[in-house]
Structures are given as structure tokens and as C-alpha cells.
Amino acid sequence: MMLKDKELLKDINDAISNCMKCGNCMEVCPIYKELKTESAVARGKLSLIEAVLNGNSEITAGFDKRMSMCVSCKACTAKCPCGVKADELIIRARQAAVSSRGLHPIKNVVFKLLKNRRLFDFSLRMAGLFGPLSFKKLPRPMATLLRFPMPGLDRRRVLAPFAATPLRSQYPEVIKVDNPKMRVGFFTGCTINYIYTDVGKAVINVLKENNVEVVLPPLQHCCGIPVFTSGDIELAKVFAKHNIETFERYNFDYIVASCGSCTMAFKKEYPEMFHDDPEMKERAEAIAKKTYEISEFLVDVVKFDKSKLGEVNVTVTMHDPCHMARGIKVTSQPREILQSIPGLKFVEMKDADRCCGAGGSFSVAHYDVALQINNRKIENIADTNADIVATSCGMCRMHIIDGLERYKLPQDVVHVIQLLDKSYQVGAAKRTKAS
Amino acid sequence: MRQDLIDAFSKIVGAEHVLTGKEKLLDYADAATPGSSRIPDAIIEPANTAEVSQVLALANAEKISVFPRGYGSSVYKAGISASGGVILLLKRMNSILEIDTANLAATIEPGVLIADLDREVHKSGLMFPPDPGTLSTATIGGLVSQNATSMRSLKYGSTKHYVMGLEIVLADGRILNTGGKNVKDVAGYDLTKLMTGSEGSLGVFTKIIVKLMPAPETVKCLLATFDSLEKASKTVETILGDKIVPSALELFDNITLRAIGSELPAGLSPDAAAALLIEIDGIQTVVDSNTDKTTAILQSHGAAKILTAQTDEEINALWSARRAILPSLSKLNSAVLIADAIVPRSKTSNMLTAIASIAAKNNTTIAVFGHIGDGILHPAIVYNPADKNELSQAANSINAMSALALTLGGKFSSSYQKDTSGPAEMYAKQAIKLSLDPNNILNPITRIKEG
């Protein structure tokens, strides 16, 4: 057993040995900040991986548990003076754990469902249709509570309702504009297709305003990041390959996504997943080169039209999702968009790029820790006195709404693009009125 | 470890604060010291002085070794077990109990991070001068245990100059208070001084009273590169000879510069043979005049490039290059063995030349950086301890450098090498250790036993 476990991690031996155990990661790790235990922070996790590599330990349930205690926020990697990519090594350790001991039973069920695109789509449509039966709506927008206990979900948690009709079913495959200056494929991702369809609509509206033809490839599927970070690399590759093939067929000028994690999957993780498969790697890289996060796309590529914007008189603060800030390093463009909206007052919060605690499935598995991390975010939001929190990730949005509800704070949380969409709408209404 | 002992420790600190089980123990098998990983039998996290006292009393009665630890950022084998036993983790004791602005003193618990203390006292316009390279992960307890020197020791002295008083739990659990907030607070033996730098071998600090200083009005920083080490060290002699006392005067050699590479401030070449980082603080007019004088000296000594930093941001950029040294070096090979070579300032040039020939002779990579203004150099051997050849070359280099430092009238120490104390010094040290810790439970230091 030990020998086998050791073999599973052999390829990261050199990367692990670069860790000098200085513990600088302790300064930035959001989980460590709450738990103060060595096993919570990258140094402790890497020590444990090293012990397995040295044959001093093996991949046990304890190993799994420790490796699961990571939000993949990449703060340690950004901080590490030795350049150790701890977040990636922890995901590699999860992969080894999946090979050695198999997936966690709940994840196993969920991933089996996720793997079957049509069944997954059917289930989430049903969840949207029958949602009101199992979820109780709260007064605030996009917020519900579970009516009945459900496996793996904490009943205190404020969740978002599933959409009655998924985004991609609300639109034709091709959304035409009069004089298209380019044609883009919109990778919606699951949260936007099935939950936050408001974001997807805003993305489509804004692109239309800028004469961009939008295509919604119906066969697109989950980006695979949740599966990848859980350590099921083989399944993640299946998703990656499917999405690459799906988008290749169209020969788009560009591909846009409006979620930091999905964008990161296309731009960084797909080429990396196929590092030992030159043909697929090349194809993944071709797709990666065309892919942009929506705010990055509007600012850097489209140079979006600021002349048509109308006034939106609100005070907005920005939360940078981990995968935006450290995954694809897009933080200035969303701010540029917000600051270009007439009437909008932008205020920075303290530690805007610090993890909110969502961490994808992390907040499902470790809800209490996720709340503790979230409390700091909510306090920073409260200090700004902003009316609205803008962000670029559905999971962050849901988790921050949960926190705001807990603190009984009135702020709403929206995607950056929703504010831009609003501004275009106000501008259009004003022009109609004037004429 | 026996279950009844674990139960007894659990009763003192609470079961959730006694960690056992292989995976938890493995987490604490390492600190930032290469090649010294050792698994303890348990981790105990006390919350206050009373708990520390009871834990030590029990450990002493049962003759269990105790290794105090803070954040485990030491490169000198501190905070890790040498022989099973328990690690006494002091992270929970992390309160700043008092900042007394009238008496310029702060009372703090051992687990407080230097960076946190700095931040707090700055609010009152004060500073805590000892500033180790690792201030965001170093605790005050560790700083005092090691009597750490810092970047600012040239002007402000080392940690021992800032420890006014201590609360210490002795090996048998007795609680000892030394010193206090008064400037003169001792008659007879100065136990505060004895305990400072005792490396956790005489007692466990539970409260520390430190001296604070008014924060300087202004700070300026210079970073200059040279095409030879010789020019850099002559420059240092001239600066100090001209009665300029910078708050910091740090050396980087070429290996160090190359290792830092991309972390160097823009405009600096990693190909330079040496660089000096000079910080000047104080009253605006004095800082301005000393900066001008220093710049003139740098120019007349042939500095290739001089950067001046004035804003907080610019100064931080220069300092972050300094703080990047150790981690950057550790990227070059599997481990870095860092030593202290302390020589009279006038001999630093000789020491630097000799280190280069020792490295060449033993076929080792030795980077040299450090507080050159104080004559404190850190030769850092970059090697792979798993390779027998590299290990023996490293050992030979350490021994050669140690002999050299002594010949030049200096001192040498490293986590690798044995104590170089003479017989009388060793006798005194052993007598102190054995009278305060007769069972040798506290951080049983091999070099004292071996002496």
C-alpha cells in the first residue's frame, strides 16, 4: 500500500522539496486564519505529502480530510517566496487520494450525474420546475432556504433558487445583431445556465449593445473545475475534451465566459491537463488563446462603447473571486467597467481579493469554516457602506448573499456585467424618451 | 506516549489541545531547518501561564522532553523535536497585554507575531526595532529565545537590548519573574539577560516585557551595486568611518543576487558582484544630509548603480528583495544550511575572500549575505543533504569557515556544527543548565550534553 501511494505522488517529488517550510503561507491562508492548525495550511499539507513520499505515512482517511481543507484560493502560491505552487500540489494529492482510495461517496454520486450531460440537464431543469417545493424563498432576491434536510447541505445555508428555465433554453443558439463586428461563443457555465440566468442575460445584452454576435453552443457542458479540484483528473479530462471539441466546431473569433473559474478552466487548466498529450494540448491551447473573461473581453478586446451608458446612482464595492485575482489575474478590468458607469460611486473594501470562503464544494463539505472565513468578508463589505457588491463568480455571489443574510445587511450582490447592462438600459430609455 | 500521560496532559489543557495521531504529529515534524525532521510524541497547546506550569511539572516528573515552538519558522533547529517528547506549541498565547506609552514598554505573550506587535505599536508612533527577516512568521518568544539580531541591529542593537522583563516557567513548573518596566530593575544576577538567548533550554517564556522606541520621523533607503565584493566592503568601512550610522547596512553577493533574480527592484542587474542595501532613519534634515554623504561615498567607491527609495512603496520594494533572499536560495537546491559568521568589521573583506576560496576548494555553492555593517555575515550553503558527497562537502566548508572566523577574531555558529565554547565556558553553561533543569527535559540541546 505504502509503496503504491508513494508511486502515485512520485512526479511531484521535486516540486514538494522546493518548500523550505518557512511558513509564510500562514500569513495569507484563509483557513489557517480561522483554525490556526498546521494541517490547515499549505506547509502542513506539503509535509504530509512529503511523509507519504518518504514512505513514512500513507494515503489514509486522515490524508483525504487534510487535503480537502483547502479552498484552492491560490493565496499561498501567490505569497510563496520559493515559487511552490501549493494549490496545484494539493490538487495532485487529491488525485492520488482518489486513485488510492476512491472518491468521497457523495461526490461519487454527484459526479456520476454530472458526467451524463443530458441527465444532468434534465435533473437541474426539474430542480428549477419543482424548486419551490423544496426551497423557501427569502425576501431578498436570489435567496432561498431548504425546506427539508438534504444530504450534504447545511440547512442554515442561504442558497440561490434554480431557474425555472435554464439560460440556454431561453435563447436561440445564435443571437444575431445587425452589423456584427465579431462572433463569440458564450460558455455559460453551470451556475449561470441553471441558477444565475440574470448574469447570462446581462452578458448577452451587453455584447449585443457592442455589436457582437453571440452563440450559445447547446452541447457545452460543465467546465470540469469542481471535478478537477476534487482530484478526479480523468473525469475532468473528459469534460475538457468535450468542451474543446464543442467549441472547435464553430471557429469563433473569441470565446467568453462570465465566471472566473470557468474562464480559468479554458485558459489555464485545459492545456495543463493535457501536458502529456501533445495533440490535445495544442488544441486546448488554441481554445485557451481565444478565451476571455467577459470584463477582460469588453475592456481589452471590444473596447466597449461608453457613449451609450446611462446613470446608475449606487455605491458599489468589488469582491475579487480567487480565480479572477490569482487564477487569471483579471482585477483591473472589472473596476474599469464599474468606474465608467456614470453616477456609480466605487469604493474599495479591505482585502477585496481575499477568499470569501465559498471555494466551490469546500463550503458544502466544511460549512462552518466557510462561514468563519465569510464573516471577515462581510465585515469588510459592511465597512464600505456600499449598496451593492459586484463580483464575477456565482459561487462567491451565493456565499456572500448567505453571509449578508446572516448579518441582516441590506446589500445585494450582482455580477459586474449586470451593472453595465443596467447602465446601457438606462441610457437607451433616456434616448427613447428624448426622441 | 502512554495513554495515562496523554490523559493527564489533556486534563490540563483540554483534550482538543493535545494532538496525537501520526498525521497530526507529522505536521510538526519540520521547521524551516533542513534535514532535521523528527516526529514528536504529542503536541500540547497551553493557553496560559498556569497551564504551561502544570504541563512542565508533569513532564519533569515523568522526564519527558519538551520542545517549545511558536510558528516553526526557525532555521536553527528550534521548535522541532530532537528525541520524541512533546512539542509545547505557544501559538494560543498570542495577546498583546499592554502597550504602555508613558514607559515605552509593551507586555506581550510569547506567541505574538513581530509583524502584529509592530502594527499595534505604530498606532502610537512607536516601534519595536528588532526586525528579523521573517517578521510575518516569527514570534516574539522565538526572537527572545534566540536573541535574534536583525536588519536594524547596526543602529538599534539586537533583541537583548529590548527585553526588559520576563515571566518564565522553569523546568519543574515554578514561575519566575525577572526584570520589569523600570530601566534599572535588577540587583545581582541579571536573569533577564541570562534567559534571553537561552534557546528554550532554561525555561518557557510566558510573558515578555519589551522596550519600545519612538518611530523615526523619516526613512530613506539606498541600494547600490558593485563589480567586486572588495569595493562593497571598503564602502562599508568608509561609511562607518565617516560617523554615519545607518539603521541597516546589508550585503548581497552575486549568488544571492542571481537567486533573487526577478524579485530584484527594476533596473538592478543580478550579474553584479555585490550589492549593499542601506537604510538611514531619523530626523528629516539628518536623514537628508546622511543620505547625500552616503551617496557621495558610494559614487567615489565605484558603485555601478545606485537606487534611492523614499516613499513607503519604494522602500518596501527594496526590502522585499532582502526578505526574498533565503526562500530564493532554497529554490536553487533541496536545502540551505545557513550559518552566522561574525568578525570584526575591519575583517569582513578578508572573511568574504576566504569564503569564496573555501567554496571553490570544496566544490560547494556558498551564498553570502547579511548585516555587513555589524560584521555579521550569513554564509548559506546550498546543497542536497540526501547526497552523501554534497553533505560531506558542506560539512568541510562549515568547519573551514568556522576555523577561519576564529582566526580573524570572530565567532561562528550554525545548526550543523558543535558548540565552540572553551572548557571553562562549557563548564559554566552546563552548571547553569543542570541546576535549573536537572532532568534535562527542556529542549535537550545535544551540544551542551556533548560538551
Side-chain angles (χ1 to χ4, degrees):
Chain A
M1 185 67 174
M2 263 194 202
L3 198 73
K4 189 183 139 232
D5 288 350
K6 210 168 139 174
E7 283 301 307
L8 287 169
L9 289 161
K10 212 172 90 189
D11 61 312
I12 54 169
N13 200 354
D14 289 347
I16 289 274
S17 71
N18 278 337
C19 170
M20 66 171 288
K21 312 291 185 311
C22 67
N24 277 4
C25 40
M26 289 186 285
E27 197 189 336
V28 293
C29 175
I31 301 181
Y32 181 77
K33 182 107 185 160
E34 306 309 329
L35 302 181
K36 298 268 181 221
T37 59
E38 193 81 25
S39 59
V41 79
R43 174 171 74 171
K45 295 190 178 83
L46 299 191
S47 282
L48 188 57
I49 298 173
E50 207 169 12
V52 172
L53 272 164
N54 295 338
N56 290 333
S57 191
E58 49 194 292
I59 296 175
T60 60
F63 183 95
D64 289 3
K65 198 172 136 209
R66 266 138 227 274
M67 294 307 151
S68 80
M69 272 306 219
C70 169
V71 273
S72 305
C73 76
K74 296 176 181 281
C76 52
T77 298
K79 174 82 189 171
C80 181
C82 301
V84 175
K85 293 181 176 161
D87 64 312
E88 291 175 13
L89 296 173
I90 292 164
I91 290 175
R92 269 293 289 114
R94 290 176 184 170
Q95 275 174 30
V98 169
S99 311
S100 173
R101 301 170 32 82
L103 264 178
H104 185 277
I106 291 187
K107 284 193 174 169
N108 205 6
V109 173
V110 176
F111 290 174
K112 273 211 177 104
L113 175 66
L114 195 55
K115 195 172 170 178
N116 187 328
R117 194 182 57 82
R118 292 176 65 180
L119 187 60
F120 178 66
D121 185 58
F122 176 76
S123 312
L124 296 197
R125 277 168 193 274
M126 290 301 111
L129 285 179
F130 297 106
L133 294 178
S134 36
F135 292 99
K136 183 172 78 192
K137 246 187 100 39
L138 293 173
R140 124 183 357 256
M142 301 308 271
T144 57
L145 276 174
L146 281 176
R147 287 186 197 272
F148 313 105
M150 259 205 234
L153 282 177
D154 194 296
R155 278 194 73 189
R156 287 168 297 170
R157 189 167 190 184
V158 177
L159 300 157
F162 284 105
T165 315
L167 179 80
R168 296 196 297 264
S169 310
Q170 298 180 29
Y171 285 92
E173 183 178 347
V174 181
I175 301 155
K176 295 257 182 223
V177 288
D178 289 341
N179 296 303
K181 58 178 176 187
M182 54 182 89
R183 187 164 159 269
V184 304
F186 181 15
F187 181 77
T188 64
C190 304
T191 56
I192 291 167
N193 192 43
Y194 296 107
I195 300 171
Y196 293 121
T197 51
D198 52 353
V199 177
K201 279 179 206 159
V203 169
I204 293 168
N205 291 345
V206 166
L207 289 172
K208 275 163 68 183
E209 286 290 338
N210 285 281
N211 299 320
V212 177
E213 181 177 303
V214 184
V215 181
L216 292 162
L219 287 180
Q220 58 179 291
H221 191 31
C222 170
C223 68
I225 285 281
V227 178
F228 178 69
T229 52
S230 298
D232 194 343
I233 176 77
E234 290 313 317
L235 185 54
K237 277 169 147 172
V238 172
F239 288 13
K241 190 157 179 281
H242 172 87
N243 283 326
I244 292 168
E245 283 166 350
T246 302
F247 278 82
E248 268 174 346
R249 265 180 233 131
Y250 293 81
N251 198 21
F252 292 121
D253 298 324
Y254 298 99
I255 297 164
V256 292
S258 45
C259 154
S261 306
C262 297
T263 317
M264 183 178 80
F266 273 60
K267 273 176 100 99
K268 304 187 93 171
E269 306 295 8
Y270 288 178
E272 185 50 35
M273 277 178 205
F274 297 108
H275 63 93
D276 51 3
D277 178 347
E279 189 234 317
M280 269 315 292
K281 186 172 193 293
E282 204 187 315
R283 292 167 63 188
E285 276 168 352
I287 291 286
K289 253 184 238 152
K290 286 186 185 180
T291 304
Y292 287 84
E293 191 277 331
I294 183 70
S295 56
E296 183 192 19
F297 183 65
L298 289 168
V299 171
D300 297 348
V301 182
V302 176
K303 318 244 181 280
F304 71 103
D305 187 352
K306 295 180 186 174
S307 68
K308 292 194 283 181
L309 296 174
E311 262 185 42
V312 182
N313 291 306
V314 283
T315 305
V316 178
T317 190
M318 166 99 202
H319 161 69
D320 296 292
C322 299
H323 291 166
M324 289 286 285
R326 290 168 295 276
I328 56 171
K329 300 193 170 63
V330 174
T331 53
S332 67
Q333 296 91 332
R335 283 174 176 71
E336 188 177 330
I337 289 180
L338 292 173
Q339 283 164 336
S340 68
I341 298 176
L344 187 148
K345 187 174 164 233
F346 181 72
V347 279
E348 284 287 358
M349 70 168 94
K350 188 182 162 216
D351 297 335
D353 66 352
R354 192 174 184 275
C355 180
C356 69
S361 61
F362 176 85
S363 53
V364 177
H366 306 283
Y367 186 59
D368 281 312
V369 185
L371 281 190
Q372 282 175 276
I373 299 173
N374 190 250
N375 289 346
R376 291 177 197 271
K377 182 59 73 181
I378 302 303
E379 280 159 19
N380 292 342
I381 291 171
D383 287 344
T384 63
N385 287 317
D387 311 312
I388 288 180
V389 183
T391 188
S392 326
C393 162
M395 288 309 291
C396 296
R397 185 179 178 192
M398 196 188 299
H399 199 51
I400 293 173
I401 288 178
D402 183 12
L404 291 167
E405 182 67 27
R406 202 161 6 97
Y407 276 64
K408 301 290 168 226
L409 288 173
Q411 282 89 349
D412 195 8
V413 187
V414 298
H415 194 289
V416 176
I417 297 307
Q418 290 178 274
L419 288 164
L420 183 64
D421 180 28
K422 173 93 187 157
S423 178
Y424 276 124
Q425 283 174 24
V426 173
K430 212 172 149 192
R431 282 194 300 278
T432 319
K433 219 171 146 190
S435 63
Chain B
M1 180 168 288
R2 276 169 22 217
Q3 191 56 43
D4 61 317
L5 289 173
I6 291 181
D7 293 344
F9 283 126
S10 302
K11 225 168 159 186
I12 300 170
V13 296
E16 69 275 31
H17 299 300
V18 177
L19 311 182
T20 54
K22 195 167 172 189
E23 277 146 357
K24 283 183 189 146
L25 299 176
L26 273 166
D27 284 340
Y28 295 87
D30 293 298
T33 317
S36 52
S37 173
R38 196 77 70 90
I39 303 172
D41 296 327
I43 318 289
I44 300 174
E45 303 175 281
N48 52 46
T49 309
E51 290 184 5
V52 173
S53 164
Q54 292 173 58
V55 168
L56 288 191
L58 175 60
N60 190 48
E62 296 289 338
K63 298 192 171 56
I64 297 165
S65 305
V66 177
F67 302 88
R69 174 178 170 123
Y71 274 59
S73 61
S74 172
V75 294
Y76 286 105
K77 263 191 192 170
I80 40 178
S81 155
S83 51
V86 301
I87 284 182
L88 194 66
L89 197 58
L90 296 157
K91 281 200 290 200
R92 288 176 71 206
M93 296 178 69
N94 63 353
S95 301
I96 298 176
L97 302 170
E98 183 195 47
I99 294 173
D100 181 346
T101 50
N103 289 302
L104 294 182
T107 307
I108 51 188
E109 290 190 314
V112 170
L113 290 172
I114 310 297
D116 290 341
L117 176 63
D118 260 348
R119 208 171 296 134
E120 272 315 299
V121 301
H122 259 101
K123 291 180 188 164
S124 317
L126 298 171
M127 73 161 171
F128 176 64
D131 166 29
T134 50
L135 81 176
S136 60
T137 47
T139 59
I140 186 74
L143 202 75
V144 177
S145 309
Q146 302 282 344
N147 180 25
T149 50
S150 77
M151 318 276 190
R152 303 203 167 102
S153 294
L154 174 60
K155 181 169 177 181
Y156 294 102
S158 57
T159 304
K160 68 182 173 191
H161 299 110
Y162 295 89
V163 184
M164 302 181 81
L166 294 166
E167 179 186 82
I168 307 149
V169 179
L170 299 177
D172 61 1
R174 252 183 277 221
I175 300 164
L176 166 70
N177 282 282
T178 75
K181 280 195 266 182
N182 302 323
V183 173
K184 164 79 175 163
D185 217 338
V186 61
Y189 293 147
D190 189 344
L191 296 177
T192 310
K193 285 268 188 292
L194 172 67
M195 293 295 171
T196 303
S198 61
E199 300 180 333
S201 66
L202 299 180
V204 175
F205 307 139
T206 44
K207 281 194 190 81
I208 297 163
I209 304 172
V210 295
K211 182 163 94 176
L212 304 172
M213 299 279 279
E217 185 186 299
T218 307
V219 182
K220 275 190 183 179
C221 252
L222 297 165
L223 188 65
T225 54
F226 295 87
D227 58 15
S228 79
L229 271 171
E230 172 101 45
K231 279 185 191 166
S233 52
K234 287 284 177 240
T235 306
V236 172
E237 281 174 36
T238 312
I239 292 172
L240 298 171
D242 276 9
K243 314 287 183 294
I244 300 169
V245 183
S247 46
L249 188 33
E250 295 285 316
L251 171 82
F252 306 63
D253 77 347
N254 175 258
I255 299 175
T256 311
L257 290 170
R258 275 191 287 135
I260 302 171
S262 59
E263 301 255 342
L264 281 175
L268 280 195
S269 161
D271 298 329
L276 291 176
L277 174 63
I278 305 162
E279 187 187 83
I280 296 166
D281 73 353
I283 298 163
Q284 184 80 49
T285 47
V286 177
V287 172
D288 289 343
S289 123
N290 278 345
T291 310
D292 293 345
K293 278 196 224 168
T294 308
T295 310
I297 294 170
L298 290 170
Q299 282 162 348
S300 68
H301 283 70
K305 176 105 195 171
I306 304 171
L307 293 183
T308 311
Q310 214 159 347
T311 65
D312 282 355
E313 204 175 305
E314 290 166 351
I315 292 173
N316 280 338
L318 299 195
W319 276 109
S320 53
R322 171 61 181 86
R323 297 191 196 286
I325 292 181
L326 192 52
S328 306
L329 286 172
S330 80
K331 267 191 268 185
L332 301 180
N333 202 333
S334 16
V336 182
L337 178 58
I338 172 172
D340 285 359
I342 302 148
V343 291
R345 285 173 192 153
S346 57
K347 301 281 194 223
T348 48
S349 186
N350 309 39
M351 188 73 199
L352 287 167
T353 319
I355 290 174
S357 57
I358 289 170
K361 195 180 150 204
N362 291 293
N363 198 18
T364 25
T365 304
I366 309 180
V368 188
F369 60 95
H371 324 309
I372 189 171
D374 287 321
I376 300 174
L377 300 175
H378 289 310
I381 302 183
V382 184
Y383 74 124
N384 176 9
D387 180 323
K388 283 217 173 75
N389 211 9
E390 286 190 31
L391 186 65
S392 83
Q393 285 162 341
N396 291 341
S397 303
I398 286 285
N399 291 333
M401 287 191 289
S402 172
L404 175 72
L406 293 178
T407 333
L408 293 172
K411 291 232 171 223
F412 191 90
S413 73
S414 80
S415 60
Y416 183 81
Q417 165 230 24
K418 284 184 199 165
D419 196 323
T420 50
S421 310
E425 194 181 343
M426 190 49 81
Y427 164 75
K429 282 183 181 173
Q430 275 180 329
I432 294 167
K433 169 74 177 166
L434 291 177
S435 51
L436 289 178
D437 179 16
N439 291 333
N440 192 29
I441 62 157
L442 282 170
N443 233 357
I445 296 178
T446 27
R447 65 193 190 203
I448 291 188
K449 275 196 296 188
E450 281 168 5

